[in-house]
Amino acid sequence: MILQTDSGHSLKTALHEAEMEIRHLHGTIGALRQELEEQRAGKDQAVQQASADAQSEIRQLHDTVRALRDELEALQHSKLEAVQKTNADSAGEITDLKRTVSVLRDQMEALKRDSEDRIGAIERSARTELKELQDTASALRTELEKAHGR
């Protein structure tokens, strides 16, 4: 029985050691589960943070796109206004130039008529004077011929 006692004691010791090992393994399993849960929670938190950061960046990009679109539309509107103003200014200038051309043409035609009238008057005067000179020359020749007896 001493053997049995030793064997019983060994058995108890082995049983006790097995129970201790089981408790230790349960503790290790619990610690590993706890660590796994913490890692999952950390990973979930990191994923949530990354998702939140991405959403924030997306919102910022949307805001930037919206601001750029608004700026582009403002520039297009400004450009359109500038083109319309330039067209209106050009149309006004064209109208003024046409009016000036018309006035200058009228003045030129009036000067031309006046010059033609003056030339006509000078030509008439010259013809009259020439006629008078021819008549005078003819009368003087006639007198000269009478005086010389011919």
Side-chain angles (χ1 to χ4, degrees):
M1 288 226 99
I2 294 178
L3 253 182
Q4 276 185 345
T5 316
D6 275 345
S7 198
H9 184 41
S10 278
L11 197 57
K12 278 187 180 182
T13 303
L15 184 61
H16 179 63
E17 285 177 7
E19 284 176 355
M20 291 299 288
E21 190 174 343
I22 289 172
R23 281 191 200 128
H24 178 67
L25 289 173
H26 277 287
T28 302
I29 289 171
L32 289 173
R33 277 189 185 147
Q34 180 68 28
E35 187 177 336
L36 183 62
E37 289 294 323
E38 288 173 3
Q39 285 182 355
R40 280 185 185 158
K43 190 186 265 184
D44 288 346
Q45 184 178 0
V47 167
Q48 288 175 353
Q49 184 62 44
S51 178
D53 291 346
Q55 288 298 322
S56 175
E57 187 174 354
I58 288 169
R59 274 192 299 278
Q60 288 175 353
L61 290 172
H62 279 292
D63 292 345
T64 301
V65 166
R66 196 172 305 114
L68 289 172
R69 186 177 297 129
D70 292 345
E71 186 177 345
L72 180 62
E73 287 174 359
L75 285 172
Q76 287 174 336
H77 182 70
S78 174
K79 179 182 170 186
L80 181 62
E81 283 181 346
V83 167
Q84 289 174 343
K85 183 182 181 316
T86 301
N87 285 343
D89 292 347
S90 295
E93 188 174 349
I94 289 169
T95 301
D96 290 345
L97 290 172
K98 284 181 179 180
R99 204 174 299 126
T100 301
V101 165
S102 178
V103 167
L104 291 173
R105 184 176 290 126
D106 291 345
Q107 288 176 350
M108 184 182 70
E109 288 174 3
L111 287 171
K112 183 179 176 184
R113 280 190 306 272
D114 187 45
S115 295
E116 288 172 352
D117 289 346
R118 283 185 186 177
I119 290 170
I122 290 170
E123 286 175 346
R124 281 190 300 278
S125 174
R127 277 194 304 269
T128 302
E129 190 176 342
L130 181 64
K131 175 74 172 135
E132 287 174 2
L133 289 172
Q134 285 174 346
D135 288 346
T136 302
S138 179
L140 288 173
R141 193 175 296 131
T142 303
E143 276 183 42
L144 191 59
E145 285 176 0
K146 278 185 193 178
H148 287 306
R150 298 189 192 160

